[in-house]
Amino acid sequence: SRMQRALHTVPRLRQRVVPSVARLAPPEWRVDPAVDLDWHVRSIALPAPGTERQLFDLAAVLCAEPFDRARPLWRFTVIEGLEGGRAAMVQQIHHTITDGEGGVRMSVQFIDFERDAPKPEPVPEQAAAPEAGLFVFTFSRHTLAPALTPIAGEPYAYTEFSGQPQT
């Protein structure tokens, strides 16, 4: 799957923060041997009618939930049931993994842009080996921009959300 490939392409997605003994040194990144995609990639459906307001309210609740520091610091929630047969995805990635712009660019690794998209190429054996976690990718707008380009030459779109649910 695309997410399995992303775990091997972006090593930080399979690493978690481990505090030092007695907190005498900074925390370290360590490979989590038991990354659970079912926990990191969730699915939920909005109740009818599935308005954008309902979507934004749910997104505010999801984003208020802190990361579990015993796991890699990211999670995606696929939200189905939007009006018109649409769906959405809330992508939460801690800033120690990437910044906002880098996260959007990195999403190319995880998202299909077509309903029946071709399967991704298999992960090369050397990238799938645990030793691949020994190198570190640092994502920022400066390091990712040359590596990933927008799909079909289109710029990426950003949607602003105040984060305040309506009552």
Side-chain angles (χ1 to χ4, degrees):
S1 80
R2 288 199 182 276
M3 285 309 301
Q4 284 290 349
R5 181 177 175 74
L7 287 177
H8 294 290
T9 306
V10 184
R12 194 65 90 205
L13 294 178
R14 63 179 187 272
Q15 296 174 338
R16 62 186 181 89
V17 177
V18 178
S20 66
V21 176
R23 301 192 187 269
L24 295 174
E28 297 178 353
W29 287 99
R30 293 214 186 123
V31 172
D32 183 347
V35 176
D36 181 3
L37 279 179
D38 291 332
W39 191 90
H40 286 280
V41 181
R42 305 164 180 193
S43 181
I44 191 168
L46 286 175
T51 65
E52 286 190 8
R53 179 75 265 153
Q54 288 174 289
L55 171 65
F56 294 153
D57 289 347
L58 177 58
V61 171
L62 293 172
C63 291
E65 182 183 341
F67 286 107
D68 179 352
R69 294 193 54 139
R71 299 175 182 269
L73 302 176
W74 63 274
R75 64 181 166 251
F76 297 158
T77 305
V78 176
I79 303 169
E80 299 174 296
L82 282 165
E83 294 173 311
R86 297 176 302 147
M89 183 175 74
V90 174
Q91 174 180 311
Q92 297 166 268
I93 301 178
H94 196 279
H95 271 268
T96 56
I97 297 174
T98 185
D99 64 5
E101 183 178 340
V104 172
R105 293 179 184 273
M106 193 168 54
S107 295
V108 172
Q109 296 285 327
F110 331 124
I111 299 172
D112 290 330
F113 292 95
E114 304 168 20
R115 186 171 299 274
D116 296 317
K119 291 187 179 195
E121 295 179 23
V123 178
E125 295 234 2
Q126 64 193 36
E131 294 77 21
L134 297 176
F135 60 92
V136 175
F137 287 129
T138 302
F139 293 104
S140 74
R141 63 180 160 205
H142 304 292
T143 58
L144 259 182
L148 298 173
T149 57
I151 299 296
E154 293 296 320
Y156 291 101
Y158 298 90
T159 302
E160 292 189 28
F161 174 59
S162 68
Q164 301 299 319
Q166 282 188 344
T167 54

